Amino acid sequence: MKRVSGWLAVLAAAAGIGCPAFAQQTSWPPPAEADWTDHWGGDKGQAFSLLTGITTANVGRLGLAWSLDLPDEHRGLEATPVVVDGVIYFTGSASRVHAVDAVSGRMLWTFDPEVWEDPRDSMQFNHAVNRGPAYAFGKVYVGTIDGRLIALDAKTGKLVWSANTAQGNTSGGSPLMGQPEVQVTITGSPLAFRDKVMIGQGGGDQGIRGYVSAYDARSGKLAWRFYVAPGSPEDNASDPTMAFAAKTWSGEYWKTGTGGGPWHGLTYDPEFNQVYIGTGNGGPWNVHARSQGDGDNLFLASIVALDADTGSYRWHYQVNPRESWDFKATSNMILATIEIDGKPRKVLMQAPTNGFFYVLDRETGTLVNEPRKIGKVTWATRIDLKTGRPLEAPGIRFENGPVSFWPSPWGVHNWQTMSYSPRTGLAYIPTMQAGMGYAPLAGSGWLDLKLGIEDPDEGKGWLLAWDPVKQKEKWRVKHDTLYNGGTMVTAGGLVFRGTAGGLFAAYDADSGERLWSFNAGVGVMAAPVTYAAGSHQQISILAGYGGGVEARFANALGWKYGVHPRRLLTFKLDGAARLPPTPGPDFSFNPVDDPGLGIDEAQAKDGGAIYGLRCAMCHGGGVKASGGN
């Protein structure tokens, strides 16, 4: 006889069930908690599960239920799956979509959107990662790397509708790259809310004017669109919000590029019927090239609240006015009710790349307490509670020449999922430390970037438990690797996360003690999910390192495409499955040695310039640094 503990026991007692096996407990789990219904696990964005089948007392019994090795065409896996009615839906490389039976691990269907058919030059620039699907009305929604939002029948994987998110876009192409065609790409997860599904897009680094689009979830018809940055005076004339934003820009900014693409953090708030978008960095990065003179450049690097029905502006909070360093607010946003100064406050919490932790009032967008640093941060001394503005360190805008500071554009926290437990009152944040040197490149809007600032903790990562009320660290766990996976927390008192080194582990949510671990056989970037499958609580995670920024580190860690399988791993109590044989890290380097291979010096020089412009940020300062990744 299996014992029932925690709130499962309360539910069982309320139903008069006693202690039969889980398979006979028709009341467990409650329908609202059985699944992982969206990217963040629910409408509060907390990446928190009420399931308590796996706890601090029994997590040592956690074992592999099954594993599924994925086809070789998959490279970097960043997706958080959604799980509905016993089926796991997830995305992989090149926006491919899969459905897998959660009990057996059997592949049910696969959909390939064939993004390779897109002829645009931008497809050669972007990494084909995807951060996962959304689910609603029996459909699976996915944003594709070539800028489409598609809806698939959840049972069959058949295409229901497809929307070109660049259609109707008034921003044109990429001013910064001198390309007339629209360069919209999508790597983030859509947000399904009420009768709509919303998606943002990337391309801010190329100067594209960022926006989010909301579509009717059933038909795919465009419902509304909100632009992150103003357009030309003609574009702004009929839009009061954009006319207001344009007052914070200078010069002919619509010709040089604006940026701001909200490529990841999207959250719905049913209590206020509003959606929150986290916006991206400016493009060009250098504000002097992007917007002459003074001005905050709204709504770059901001959290913006919109009416969920109409997309109309309600409020904003800008974390980096006049952004100049690839800082962005695209990290996930968490909704909660916490007690501040003895009063309950409905808040939004975010840890954007700039290294501070923000707690905002969800109704007004104002700070409820002073943001604090969650890692090494030297670009600013603090955030002023009254004005909400940062007190910047001298010289960080390159006015006195090259400058170095922390963090780098990767941030103290980036896109990897931060979670929050209402039980502990703590946020669990994947953090890292890397500084960066900046210098303007004459005659362009680009910056010369240099890594390698000396510090004992440079290149390290942490799992940080943060108290948002006290704005204070509770505990942290150090990792030797920099760019690790996202987090998930449960009512069973556990925090789960994977690392770039291939360790998937469970930690005590109160103390940070590591209670269980598993060698995934390859690095992990994604966040795990938990759900009920049959008679068990299960935990699933995608393992597969590489892609964008991660490609810079993959070779140093020994992870290689075609050598180390990309996998979906699933765990349950007393799971006894074993991984297929997996090679260990491979640090070999096999350069091409062909005496007949001639090198055209002029082409090599041009290629080096293109590599430095488009590739070096992710792959490193030299072709060898890419390591075949």
Side-chain angles (χ1 to χ4, degrees), residues 287-359:
V287 69
H288 302 294
R290 184 180 70 236
S291 172
Q292 307 299 318
D294 295 327
D296 288 345
N297 287 189
L298 293 176
F299 296 97
L300 302 183
S302 299
I303 297 166
V304 185
L306 307 176
D307 182 282
D309 293 326
T310 65
S312 58
Y313 166 84
R314 287 191 174 176
W315 57 256
H316 77 276
Y317 177 85
Q318 191 171 38
V319 299
N320 282 102
R322 205 164 163 75
E323 193 281 318
S324 288
W325 317 277
D326 195 22
F327 286 171
K328 43 209 165 279
T330 49
S331 306
N332 65 301
M333 292 167 282
I334 288 173
L335 313 183
T337 300
I338 64 176
E339 190 172 288
I340 301 287
D341 297 328
K343 297 180 180 179
R345 299 288 298 270
K346 296 181 185 299
V347 302
L348 178 152
M349 297 178 280
Q350 192 192 52
T353 55
N354 72 18
F356 286 87
F357 191 93
Y358 294 81
V359 184

Side-chain angles (χ1 to χ4, degrees), residues 77-430:
L77 298 179
E78 296 185 354
T80 300
V82 295
V83 187
V84 180
D85 294 336
V87 179
I88 304 170
Y89 303 97
F90 67 95
T91 54
S93 298
S95 315
R96 296 180 183 90
V97 192
H98 301 284
V100 173
D101 182 272
V103 174
S104 67
R106 178 174 62 93
M107 186 76 76
L108 300 176
W109 55 257
T110 294
F111 180 85
D112 185 351
E114 299 180 341
V115 298
W116 44 267
E117 289 191 342
D118 193 310
R120 289 179 298 151
D121 180 60
S122 62
M123 294 300 98
Q124 302 172 35
F125 167 75
N126 285 278
H127 300 283
V129 294
N130 189 283
R131 296 184 183 88
Y135 181 98
F137 304 112
K139 299 178 182 64
V140 177
Y141 303 92
V142 176
T144 67
I145 192 68
D146 60 355
R148 289 173 285 157
L149 178 64
I150 59 175
L152 307 175
D153 184 282
K155 290 184 178 180
T156 66
K158 302 290 186 182
L159 181 68
V160 178
W161 56 257
S162 175
N164 178 3
T165 67
Q167 188 172 7
N169 171 24
T170 62
S171 64
S174 174
L176 188 56
M177 291 294 188
Q179 295 167 333
E181 74 268 31
V182 176
Q183 302 289 301
V184 169
T185 58
I186 299 173
T187 59
S189 174
L191 172 68
F193 62 97
R194 299 183 65 173
D195 60 347
K196 296 180 177 65
V197 59
M198 184 170 70
I199 191 69
Q201 34 63 45
D205 290 334
Q206 287 81 55
I208 294 172
R209 183 188 180 198
Y211 58 89
V212 292
S213 306
Y215 295 84
D216 182 277
R218 293 183 174 89
S219 69
K221 182 180 179 180
L222 180 65
W224 53 258
R225 176 168 287 164
F226 179 85
Y227 283 95
V228 166
S232 68
E234 293 77 17
D235 291 332
N236 303 333
S238 60
D239 188 337
T241 301
M242 288 298 100
F244 159 70
K247 295 177 181 178
T248 68
W249 292 74
S250 301
E252 294 183 320
Y253 56 85
W254 61 94
K255 295 181 180 179
T256 59
T258 51
W263 49 264
H264 188 51
L266 306 171
T267 303
Y268 171 62
D269 186 345
E271 294 185 80
F272 292 98
N273 191 36
Q274 56 194 17
V275 289
Y276 307 104
I277 63 172
T279 72
N281 57 280
W285 288 6
N286 187 347
V287 69
H288 302 294
R290 184 180 70 236
S291 172
Q292 307 299 318
D294 295 327
D296 288 345
N297 287 189
L298 293 176
F299 296 97
L300 302 183
S302 299
I303 297 166
V304 185
L306 307 176
D307 182 282
D309 293 326
T310 65
S312 58
Y313 166 84
R314 287 191 174 176
W315 57 256
H316 77 276
Y317 177 85
Q318 191 171 38
V319 299
N320 282 102
R322 205 164 163 75
E323 193 281 318
S324 288
W325 317 277
D326 195 22
F327 286 171
K328 43 209 165 279
T330 49
S331 306
N332 65 301
M333 292 167 282
I334 288 173
L335 313 183
T337 300
I338 64 176
E339 190 172 288
I340 301 287
D341 297 328
K343 297 180 180 179
R345 299 288 298 270
K346 296 181 185 299
V347 302
L348 178 152
M349 297 178 280
Q350 192 192 52
T353 55
N354 72 18
F356 286 87
F357 191 93
Y358 294 81
V359 184
L360 305 179
D361 183 290
R362 281 158 38 204
E363 187 171 14
T364 65
T366 56
L367 293 173
V368 302
N369 56 21
E370 184 176 328
R372 300 292 185 184
K373 299 175 181 180
I374 59 172
K376 185 156 187 174
V377 176
T378 62
W379 71 270
T381 55
R382 66 183 182 89
I383 310 296
D384 186 274
L385 182 58
K386 291 183 179 180
T387 65
R389 300 179 70 89
L391 301 182
E392 298 178 356
I396 65 164
R397 294 185 176 276
F398 340 115
E399 63 268 32
N400 300 320
V403 61
S404 297
F405 55 82
W406 282 269
S408 73
W410 302 327
V412 175
H413 172 233
N414 205 288
W415 60 266
Q416 292 91 336
T417 298
M418 171 181 75
S419 56
Y420 172 79
S421 170
R423 301 295 178 90
T424 63
L426 300 175
Y428 302 93
I429 315 170

